[in-house]
Amino acid sequence: IRQALGEKRISARELATDYLARIEKRNPELNAYLALSPERALAQADRVDAMVARKESLPPLAGLPLAVKDVLSTRGVPTTCSSRMLEGYKPAYDATAVERLERAGAVMLGKTNCDEFAMGGSNENSAYGPVRNPVALDRVPGGSSGGSAAAVAADLAVAALGTDTGGSIRQPGAFCGIPGMMPTYGRASRYGLIAFSSSLDRVGPSAK
């Protein structure tokens, strides 16, 4: 993606718009996303395109369409932990992992469904309904980061952030047929993560 942007074969805005359109079309059957952030995504994409126009060196994740699990705080974007208890809550700050990814050029498309407060292994325990496995709609995507894994597997994001306490990135990755990585504890900042078990929680990526 970074190379295609640098060679002007596509613009970051075109890419973000394409992914948002895909989400609008496919998400009703998958329920992978709970909230979209199109204004924020397009503003970030425009920043990347401006860098291309100025022939600046692009950051490593320039234009990368990214999804974020709904237990990570995102400034001005609903963060509910898939629970009615936090319905309407919009944090005043970003989780460090989100902040650093955007600093590296990533474009946040929206927030993904999960088991409520990350407590579950099937993503059937969300207050906003279960996530469907894009490989087979009658099957679960795994949990608790099932929305993030389903979004990547269904090409509704290039990569996604999840959290892993006892398998919650790795198991959905396996169920959806994509790699999901659990970093060493403390390797990625937990600041802004609404904790399940703070001495075990890890923030990590899913991608193809």
Side-chain angles (χ1 to χ4, degrees), residues 88-155:
Y89 171 57
K90 296 181 181 179
Y93 67 98
D94 285 323
T96 298
V98 174
E99 179 187 315
R100 288 185 177 178
L101 284 169
E102 285 194 323
R103 201 185 306 159
V107 173
M108 187 181 73
L109 300 172
K111 307 297 290 294
T112 53
N113 202 347
C114 57
D115 287 298
E116 190 167 0
F117 287 102
M119 297 183 187
S122 64
N123 223 141
E124 296 172 291
N125 304 301
S126 166
Y128 301 97
V131 177
R132 306 292 180 190
N133 192 318
V135 180
L137 295 177
D138 62 332
R139 302 191 182 194
V140 300
S144 63
S145 305
S148 289
V152 172
D155 291 320

Side-chain angles (χ1 to χ4, degrees), residues 169-189:
I169 294 173
R170 295 162 290 162
Q171 186 236 42
F175 281 23
C176 293
I178 61 167
M181 190 181 80
M182 180 197 72
T184 300
Y185 181 80
R187 180 71 176 135
S189 171

Side-chain angles (χ1 to χ4, degrees), residues 11-84:
S11 73
R13 176 173 266 268
E14 287 172 335
L15 190 63
T17 301
D18 179 59
Y19 271 87
L20 289 166
R22 288 192 210 187
I23 293 166
E24 185 177 351
K25 183 177 181 180
R26 189 91 199 272
N27 195 59
E29 68 175 356
L30 296 178
N31 201 30
Y33 280 89
L34 293 180
L36 297 180
S37 50
E39 292 181 5
R40 180 166 171 167
L42 294 175
Q44 174 77 334
D46 289 343
R47 283 192 285 272
V48 172
D49 287 336
M51 294 179 73
V52 174
R54 294 192 297 265
K55 298 184 179 178
E56 294 179 14
S57 179
L58 295 179
L61 300 179
L64 179 90
L66 176 79
V68 176
K69 185 179 179 179
D70 198 34
V71 294
L72 287 156
S73 297
T74 44
R75 184 186 69 258
V77 180
T79 300
T80 70
C81 297
S82 295
S83 174
R84 298 288 182 192

